[in-house]
Amino acid sequence: MAFCPKCKAEMSATEIVCPSCGFDFPTATTDSPPGKSGIAHSPLADIALMISTFAGSIACLIAIGFSLISLSTGQFFNGLVLGPIAFFLQLGMVVVFLRVQED
Ligand SMILES: [Zn+2]
């Protein structure tokens, strides 16, 4: 239960206009999203993100190469399991990096 700040009448907490006196509550601004600040939005973080995206792309290619070399030398576990896992891990990271940079 809430009370109107103007006429002190009881009113529902969900009502935005007092039913007794018609007092119109100002729109709440306390729930505004936090500003983009801090280390995660610093220029250094942006550079780190770009380098990480680049490094992740290189690591994807390395993982493919690792798989192909392993298969050609008969190391099927490395070629069919470890290589693909490393590839998708790196690919997923690159996708995440690219998506956050779209904001
Ligand atoms: Zn009122």
Side-chain angles (χ1 to χ4, degrees), residues 4-6 11 15-18 22-30:
C4 173
K6 188 179 178 187
M11 57 183 290
E15 285 176 307
I16 56 172
V17 177
C18 175
F23 179 76
D24 193 354
F25 285 82
T27 308
T29 54
T30 52

Side-chain angles (χ1 to χ4, degrees), residues 38-87:
I39 188 93
H41 298 286
S42 65
L44 181 66
D46 289 339
I47 294 171
L49 198 57
M50 283 191 291
I51 294 173
S52 299
T53 306
F54 180 72
S57 305
I58 299 293
C60 275
L61 298 176
I62 291 174
I64 294 172
F66 173 79
S67 289
L68 294 177
I69 292 170
S70 297
L71 287 175
S72 68
T73 55
Q75 296 172 292
F76 293 105
F77 180 74
N78 286 349
L80 297 175
V81 179
L82 295 183
I85 288 174
F87 172 75

